[in-house]
Amino acid sequence: MDLLRISTAGSVDDGKSTLIGRLLYDNNALTKEQEELIEKKTVEKGLQDLDFSVITDGLIAEREQGITIDVAHIYFSTQSRKFIIADSPGHVEYTRNMVTGASNAEASIILIDARKGLLEQSYRHYFISQLLRLHTVVFCVNKMDLVDYNEDVFLKIASEIKAMTEQFEDSKPTIEIIPISSLKGDNVVYPSGETSWYQGPTLNEVLHDISSVEEVQKPFRFEVQNVLHVQNDEFIDFRGYAGKISSGSIKKGDEVVVLPSGNRSAIKEIRKYDQTFSEAHAGESVTISLNDDIDASRGTVLALPGELPSGERSLEATLVWLNEQKGIFGGRYILQAGSRTVQAKLQQIHYVVPPEKPSLKVDASELKLNDISRVSFKLSQPLFLDVYSENKANGAFIVIDPQTNNTVGVGFVERTSEL
């Protein structure tokens, strides 16, 4: 069954948890125990409408504060599709969690409170969605019941959304804008009788109609996670390289280049547990054996000749700064992609981009929490990455403060070149 990965985003109190609960409830995707919990909490709080937020606000701290502070992954399925929803926090302090939650998603749901319209976080959430190259962004104008289902309110917000999305030239995801009330259930799974002026699909229909993006053939990338050297009666002098194919595919007999050494060999065997296969594809975890006993260790990258990743010692990237301690020009950091790590210097801060005005490039000498910037790093050794827009699976990295070991940023490769 087809799987769709979704992320949700919105400002505090925009109703993300209630929307997800409503989506699951009306799709009959909740267990009996979950439905009983909803009914129990609704009675305890003396609410007239069902309290769906208890399904996703799992952390005690969240319940105490009434906000979502961590990324919660919700799995559910209908008769025609499976879904994984990454419910990300809305407060500006937790933008880093939104980046994490959306990093593996294909589509994004951004909630807008009909009473407030677009907020600063709305711009930031859309900016991150297009930065991560999500192919569909669904804007749900929520709490329409609190504005008497007024069409003019919806049209005004829809106009603001269109104006915002048209500012971006590089990435053009499919945009859907839906008037909903997650509390009352309007246009979530079932069409609303209160919005006769809206003839579009419900959120549920949109999520089921999103076509799986046709997989464009990406270059083969395989990072060695573990070297298996086995000596027993069944496997004599067996040497295999275990890992996950991040992109592309490989066949038995294909010639590969081992990076960084540059040595070449051919695929002798592709194995999963006790079975062997003639080929393997992106997303599969396999053990690969080579015809030659060449040097390869954890962090080594296998690629096909003619489509090698860049091995330059500098790269230019869009960087989201995730730490309260500022990033500084000339600062020394560790860049990590997969299990590969290199020492790096923040060589240049080209500019910072205000999410509400993506065409504006603001000069900066330091990076503050949640800043989105274009920067250049100089690396102590190559990381063998691709440009993110061409290969998401091998185009991103995290930035680590070597003094604290905290993750302080996430980067998306724009280009690699010598500084």
Side-chain angles (χ1 to χ4, degrees):
M1 189 182 294
D2 191 20
L3 171 67
L4 182 68
R5 298 175 184 272
I6 312 164
S7 72
T8 60
S11 299
V12 175
D13 292 333
D14 278 348
K16 294 185 302 300
S17 297
T18 301
L19 173 62
I20 294 171
R22 168 64 71 179
L23 189 63
L24 270 62
Y25 183 81
D26 284 355
N27 270 307
N28 297 317
L30 294 176
T31 64
K32 182 179 179 181
E33 288 76 16
Q34 288 174 314
E35 292 183 352
E36 290 175 349
L37 176 63
I38 291 173
E39 293 168 358
K40 176 184 176 183
K41 293 300 179 182
T42 300
V43 172
E44 288 179 357
K45 296 179 181 178
L47 302 175
Q48 293 182 338
D49 298 294
L50 293 174
D51 181 14
F52 293 114
S53 63
V54 298
I55 297 301
T56 54
D57 291 349
L59 298 176
I60 294 176
E62 290 180 10
R63 291 183 179 176
E64 291 176 344
Q65 297 179 47
I67 61 174
T68 305
I69 60 174
D70 203 351
V71 178
H73 288 86
I74 301 101
Y75 303 76
F76 78 101
S77 62
T78 63
Q79 291 184 342
S80 58
R81 193 161 220 179
K82 293 180 180 178
F83 297 92
I84 299 177
I85 301 177
D87 181 26
S88 305
H91 198 279
V92 65
E93 293 178 357
Y94 304 113
T95 299
R96 75 195 81 176
N97 303 61
M98 191 266 175
V99 177
T100 303
S103 60
N104 292 318
E106 302 163 82
S108 174
I109 299 173
I110 299 178
L111 270 76
I112 308 293
D113 190 323
R115 300 168 300 173
K116 302 175 184 176
L118 297 190
L119 303 176
E120 178 184 348
Q121 275 296 80
S122 308
Y123 287 90
R124 192 178 301 278
H125 291 151
Y126 180 70
F127 194 113
I128 292 172
S129 294
Q130 69 86 33
L131 178 65
L132 293 172
R133 306 284 171 175
L134 305 188
H135 61 70
T136 302
V137 179
V138 184
F139 287 93
C140 287
V141 182
N142 194 23
K143 303 189 181 182
M144 287 299 298
D145 55 307
L146 298 182
V147 295
D148 297 326
Y149 300 97
N150 189 302
E151 181 182 11
D152 291 337
V153 171
F154 172 73
L155 293 177
K156 181 176 182 298
I157 295 174
S159 177
E160 294 174 352
I161 291 172
K162 291 179 180 176
M164 173 180 66
T165 58
E166 287 173 354
Q167 296 182 66
F168 293 86
E169 298 179 354
D170 294 341
S171 176
K172 292 291 184 183
T174 299
I175 302 295
E176 300 280 356
I177 308 173
I178 307 171
I180 70 167
S181 169
S182 53
L183 187 64
K184 304 293 184 182
D186 296 291
N187 295 326
V188 178
V189 173
Y190 302 111
S192 171
E194 303 289 347
T195 57
S196 57
W197 41 266
Y198 175 73
Q199 304 302 317
T202 65
L203 173 62
N204 200 52
E205 290 171 335
V206 169
L207 297 181
H208 281 80
D209 288 345
I210 293 175
S211 301
S212 296
V213 176
E214 184 178 353
E215 181 63 26
V216 178
Q217 185 61 36
K218 303 291 185 184
F220 172 69
R221 302 287 183 258
F222 178 86
E223 179 184 335
V224 176
Q225 299 291 321
N226 193 17
V227 179
L228 305 177
H229 194 190
V230 181
Q231 183 73 270
N232 56 33
D233 294 339
E234 184 176 1
F235 296 96
I236 300 174
D237 287 336
F238 176 84
R239 186 179 181 84
Y241 305 100
K244 183 178 180 180
I245 300 175
S246 58
S247 65
S249 59
I250 194 75
K251 299 190 301 294
K252 183 179 177 181
D254 281 347
E255 184 183 22
V256 294
V257 179
V258 180
L259 300 171
S261 69
N263 292 329
R264 298 192 178 202
S265 185
I267 301 293
K268 178 181 179 182
E269 183 181 75
I270 302 171
R271 175 176 290 274
K272 291 183 186 178
Y273 304 107
D274 58 349
Q275 293 183 302
T276 58
F277 298 83
S278 59
E279 60 184 49
H281 306 276
E284 296 184 65
S285 296
V286 297
T287 298
I288 292 175
S289 297
L290 302 178
N291 282 337
D292 305 286
D293 188 13
I294 57 180
D295 181 31
S297 57
R298 176 178 165 83
T300 296
V301 176
L302 272 58
L304 295 175
E307 53 181 38
L308 300 179
S310 172
E312 303 291 351
R313 294 195 175 189
S314 64
L315 59 83
E316 188 172 317
T318 297
L319 183 70
V320 183
W321 194 253
L322 306 177
N323 197 272
E324 293 182 354
Q325 186 173 344
K326 296 176 180 176
I328 56 174
F329 167 75
R332 306 281 180 171
Y333 300 98
I334 295 174
L335 267 55
Q336 178 171 344
S339 62
R340 294 162 282 162
T341 59
V342 299
Q343 295 181 355
K345 176 182 178 182
L346 185 53
Q347 186 78 359
Q348 188 173 358
I349 302 174
H350 299 281
Y351 52 81
V352 171
V353 183
E356 66 278 14
K357 293 183 179 178
S359 60
L360 191 62
K361 300 175 181 177
V362 180
D363 291 337
S365 59
E366 59 185 17
L367 301 174
K368 303 187 293 296
L369 177 66
N370 295 331
D371 270 352
I372 300 172
S373 63
R374 181 67 68 90
V375 302
S376 289
F377 283 101
K378 187 173 184 179
L379 313 180
S380 62
Q381 53 185 307
L383 261 182
F384 302 105
L385 293 171
D386 297 299
V387 172
Y388 184 78
S389 61
E390 298 174 356
N391 189 5
K392 292 174 63 174
N394 192 49
F397 59 88
I398 61 173
V399 183
I400 298 171
D401 184 334
Q403 302 300 320
T404 63
N405 281 329
N406 290 331
T407 299
V408 296
V410 57
F412 307 92
V413 178
E414 298 291 344
R415 68 187 181 96
T416 57
S417 62
E418 289 294 347
L419 292 174

